Amino acid sequence: MLRDENPNLRLARHCLFIKDTHGVFSEPVDPEELPDYHDIIKQPMDYGTVRKKLDKGLYPDLEQFEVGVAIFWNRFLECDLLLV
């Protein structure tokens, strides 16, 4: 299991999470605040979920960690496009 002990992984994690300075993407979207979100976004992902999975060693390898981060970025871009 991939864990946070690898110095390169710790650096990557730090760089990813430091960018969310206002904590906007730090937790899953609350369906009470955005009731249509899960109708539009079929595979939600956020920094907090990526971080928790990494902390618990739930990514079996670096490739799966990359997939989690890619899903997050895709959700971010989809939401950004919906706001335009």
Side-chain angles (χ1 to χ4, degrees):
M1 296 293 172
L2 186 62
R3 293 208 181 257
D4 206 6
E5 292 117 13
N6 180 306
N8 293 327
L9 187 56
R10 278 198 308 268
L11 178 60
R13 178 183 177 209
H14 176 73
C15 290
L16 283 171
F17 303 128
I18 200 167
K19 292 296 184 186
D20 187 20
T21 56
H22 297 290
V24 175
F25 304 104
S26 62
E27 297 295 325
V29 171
D30 182 348
E32 299 220 358
E33 290 182 29
L34 295 170
D36 296 340
Y37 179 79
H38 290 92
D39 294 332
I40 298 166
I41 304 299
K42 300 300 181 193
Q43 192 176 13
M45 185 57 72
D46 57 273
Y47 278 151
T49 300
V50 171
R51 182 184 303 120
K52 287 174 190 170
K53 289 179 77 172
L54 184 59
D55 290 346
K56 293 179 180 181
L58 297 178
Y59 290 113
D61 52 40
L62 186 56
E63 288 77 21
Q64 290 302 308
F65 173 68
E66 290 172 355
V67 167
V69 172
I71 291 169
F72 166 76
W73 283 113
N74 287 333
R75 297 305 79 83
F76 171 79
L77 293 173
E78 286 177 32
C79 291
D80 195 43
L81 289 173
L82 291 173
L83 297 174
V84 175

